[in-house]
Amino acid sequence: MATYTLPELPYDYAALEPVINPQIVELHHDKHHAAYVKGANDTLEQLEEAREKGAWGSINGLQKNLAFHLSGHILHSIYWHNMTGDGGGEPLAADGVGDLADAITESFGSFAGFKAQLTKAAATTQGSGWGVLAYEPVSGRLIVEQVYDHQGNVGQGSTPVLVFDAWEHAFYLQYKNQKVDFIDAMWAVVNWQDVARRYAAAKERADVLLLAP
């Protein structure tokens, strides 16, 4: 049985219009995300075969492939739930996400400052990548990270709570080469309820990263 499986979308292909058109959602989920799931499973099988044979000549490539495909699967699994057709705006206490709103202000000075930083981080990834809002357990604060491909400038142990996909397959059919326009539009579909749930869960797991005995 496969270790990883492609999750179903929490909405239909047209749910994110006009920000993301149905064709992109279908291709992105059914083809690209599915390929990362298959890649992770295939690489695990290849690593099992290497262990059985004691054949470690390709270990560096296999480990890199596992990280690439597994990160792609995890980030996309968060991505789909981070969006909703009736999202956007900013997190507010009146909407039941006051803890998240307070954490953003404490960590970035203001929502506007956070929005500007995540927008720039996502839009200026060199080549393919992601902009990520993550909970960093050592400081207990939120940070913005840049992910190149599916790896990169990531603090060890930090938990992604909001991810912006800046790979061309996420936007090119609709936005052409205007990645900045796509990132700007993404703010209109952010599901703050989902982000707040992920933030609360990450805080509860704050002791998962043990820096000393």
Side-chain angles (χ1 to χ4, degrees):
M1 180 179 295
T3 302
Y4 302 107
T5 58
L6 180 67
E8 293 185 3
L9 286 172
Y11 34 70
D12 62 41
Y13 296 137
L16 302 176
E17 286 193 294
V19 173
I20 308 177
N21 68 39
Q23 183 184 18
I24 288 178
V25 175
E26 181 177 6
L27 288 171
H28 196 167
H29 176 267
D30 296 3
K31 302 298 183 182
H32 290 280
H33 189 171
Y36 300 129
V37 172
K38 183 179 185 302
N41 287 324
D42 288 350
T43 306
L44 287 177
E45 291 181 2
Q46 293 164 11
L47 284 165
E48 180 181 6
E49 181 179 354
R51 289 193 299 272
E52 291 174 350
K53 296 180 177 180
W56 299 112
S58 60
I59 184 64
N60 286 340
L62 289 174
Q63 293 294 164
K64 184 176 179 63
N65 285 344
L66 181 62
F68 175 81
H69 291 297
L70 182 54
S71 293
H73 172 43
I74 290 171
L75 288 167
H76 280 92
S77 296
I78 297 170
Y79 179 68
W80 304 123
H81 287 273
N82 272 171
M83 297 183 290
T84 177
D86 57 359
E90 64 180 276
L92 300 171
D95 297 325
V97 292
D99 286 348
L100 173 64
D102 290 344
I104 288 174
T105 299
E106 182 178 351
S107 298
F108 300 99
S110 66
F111 177 77
F114 153 66
K115 182 178 179 180
Q117 184 176 343
L118 181 55
T119 297
K120 290 297 183 181
T124 59
T125 51
Q126 296 174 333
S128 301
W130 299 71
V132 176
L133 173 67
Y135 177 77
E136 198 284 291
V138 178
S139 64
R141 63 180 289 140
L142 292 167
I143 61 173
V144 165
E145 298 178 328
Q146 263 187 336
V147 176
Y148 296 108
D149 291 336
H150 291 145
Q151 303 165 61
N153 294 348
V154 177
Q156 299 301 310
S158 57
T159 302
V161 297
L162 173 63
V163 299
F164 279 10
D165 192 343
W167 283 64
E168 286 190 346
H169 64 237
F171 63 88
Y172 200 86
L173 289 177
Q174 185 174 355
Y175 292 84
K176 303 300 186 276
N177 63 334
Q178 300 303 311
K179 180 163 63 175
V180 174
D181 291 346
F182 170 66
I183 300 302
D184 285 339
M186 274 288 299
W187 290 100
V189 293
V190 173
N191 183 347
W192 292 115
Q193 297 294 328
D194 181 69
V195 179
R197 285 192 294 270
R198 295 179 187 279
Y199 171 63
K203 284 200 303 179
E204 290 179 1
R205 298 176 59 249
D207 62 349
V208 71
L209 185 62
L210 299 179
L211 299 182

